[in-house]
Amino acid sequence: MDNYDYFLAIAETGNISRAAEKLYVSQPSLSKYLRRLENELGIELFDRSSYPLKLTEAGELYRSYVREEILRGKNLRRSFANLKAPDRGEVRVGLTPWRSASLLPEILSVFWRAWPNIRVSLEEGPHQHLASLIEHDRVDFALTHLPNQYQGFTCTHEFLMTDAAVFAVSRSNPILAALPDEKGISHISEEQFTLFQNEPFVMFQESQNIYEMLYSFLENAGVLPGVRLVTPNIHTAMNFVRQNQGVGFATTSYAEACRDENLRFFFVDSEPMKWDVVATYKKSRPLSSQARLLVDCIRAYCLEKFGGRARA
């Protein structure tokens, strides 16, 4: 058993006796281990005056170091296993919840037909969380947007497609009677958009990339929305819009993927609200062969599904 486990068990239980029971070792041997560790480091890791034992500031630093070392070891063993069997292994992907729910099932059904023995592990969250996952080597790559302000480290970005914001309205909304009834994503003028200025809006959270873009657009259009609901989840937002509980915004990839007959989607004729969708990973940690296969599969899917939209 790695000595790191000894230290973490003491930190978790706050008691050497309970830690020894958990580890199936004797209390004297565990106490001896801790004394030797602190002597080697030249500093106390636990405050013996408290009960249960509490980590000192040095102990907190050491715990962070230990967790990173354990993760580095796991990543190394994973990399070795992937190298030995390139048609097997594991890929860890970070992405937003809506892409995970809407796009990935179809992508993975294609991927697994070709590579059935490669396991895919998903980590979901907003973009600032995805940046943290990349930074701390907890995913092989993440699907992110450019531009964004969340990455403070050097990354490689592989372009997948351009996405854009679209205005979403329930087909039961009576204001639509003043607009042409068309299929697909239609275009409306800014003047037509202002017809909806008194409708309640369903908006995204301030922590999301799209937030500032949308509010800048609304301000330029002279629309100060009355916000009924704030949510980080595009599915939740569109469910409320579908029930005509408000109007809101989605993305072109969402609109094209869901093809919901109960919703109308519009481009508003103004400066396009768009961004690049990219596969992002650390420049210092190139993709494994398994991750490369998945990135290439996602790129091929985007090319086929969304008509090969390039940077505009």
Side-chain angles (χ1 to χ4, degrees), residues 6 11 13-14 52 72 82 84 93 115 123 155 204-205 218 225 265 294 299 305:
Y6 286 16
T13 61
R72 283 160 59 99
N82 285 350
K84 288 192 292 185
V93 185
W115 309 102
E123 291 280 353
C155 283
F204 297 111
Q205 291 181 338
L218 291 168
F265 295 103
L294 183 53
R299 182 184 293 108
K305 184 80 173 180

Side-chain angles (χ1 to χ4, degrees), residues 131 135 148-155:
E135 183 177 15
N148 70 58
Q149 71 271 32
Y150 302 122
Q151 288 153 206
F153 50 96
T154 305
C155 283

Side-chain angles (χ1 to χ4, degrees), residues 125-138:
H127 281 82
Q128 63 268 43
H129 177 62
L130 301 183
S132 175
L133 293 174
I134 297 167
E135 183 177 15
H136 294 97
D137 297 321
R138 297 184 184 277

Side-chain angles (χ1 to χ4, degrees), residues 173-188:
N173 190 308
I175 297 175
L176 288 179
L179 302 175
D181 188 9
E182 301 173 358
K183 292 187 177 181
I185 303 176
S186 309
H187 284 261
I188 57 174

Side-chain angles (χ1 to χ4, degrees), residues 27-238:
Q27 180 179 338
S29 65
L30 191 57
S31 296
K32 184 178 179 181
Y33 152 79
L34 181 56
R35 286 196 300 273
R36 185 171 65 249
L37 175 63
E38 290 180 324
N39 286 337
E40 288 175 359
L41 296 174
I43 197 166
E44 287 192 350
L45 302 176
F46 291 90
D47 179 2
R48 268 77 167 177
S49 66
S50 67
Y51 184 83
L53 295 176
K54 291 184 179 178
L55 289 168
T56 61
E57 185 176 354
E60 294 284 1
L61 288 172
Y62 186 68
R63 180 164 61 179
S64 297
Y65 164 80
V66 164
R67 287 172 172 169
E68 289 298 321
E69 284 297 296
I70 290 172
L71 179 61
R72 283 160 59 99
K74 288 180 179 178
N75 285 339
L76 183 62
R77 289 190 291 274
R78 236 183 97 259
S79 297
F80 286 162
N82 285 350
L83 284 173
K84 288 192 292 185
D87 61 339
R88 295 177 178 273
E90 180 184 17
V91 184
R92 299 166 305 166
V93 185
L95 70 174
T96 56
W98 97 257
R99 292 192 191 280
S100 178
S102 299
L103 300 182
L104 214 60
E106 194 169 339
I107 293 171
L108 290 181
S109 68
V110 175
F111 180 73
W112 281 325
R113 281 200 293 271
W115 309 102
N117 296 315
I118 296 179
R119 175 184 173 187
V120 179
S121 297
L122 304 181
E123 291 280 353
E124 300 177 356
H127 281 82
Q128 63 268 43
H129 177 62
L130 301 183
S132 175
L133 293 174
I134 297 167
E135 183 177 15
H136 294 97
D137 297 321
R138 297 184 184 277
V139 292
D140 296 297
F141 68 92
L143 301 184
T144 66
H145 293 166
L146 290 180
N148 70 58
Q149 71 271 32
Y150 302 122
Q151 288 153 206
F153 50 96
T154 305
C155 283
T156 297
H157 306 289
E158 296 194 20
F159 175 78
L160 300 173
M161 67 175 186
T162 296
D163 214 347
V166 290
F167 182 53
V169 184
S170 168
R171 280 193 176 272
S172 62
N173 190 308
I175 297 175
L176 288 179
L179 302 175
D181 188 9
E182 301 173 358
K183 292 187 177 181
I185 303 176
S186 309
H187 284 261
I188 57 174
S189 67
E190 286 196 15
E191 184 179 355
Q192 289 171 317
F193 174 71
T194 60
L195 294 172
F196 298 92
Q197 62 185 334
N198 294 321
E199 294 292 288
F201 274 68
V202 179
M203 296 296 287
F204 297 111
Q205 291 181 338
E206 290 187 41
S207 61
Q208 295 174 272
N209 272 5
I210 198 172
Y211 175 88
E212 287 188 12
M213 193 180 298
L214 291 178
Y215 270 92
S216 176
F217 161 75
L218 291 168
E219 186 176 40
N220 290 335
V223 175
L224 299 176
V227 178
R228 171 170 282 179
L229 176 74
V230 175
T231 175
N233 191 310
I234 195 170
H235 287 295
T236 301
M238 290 304 98

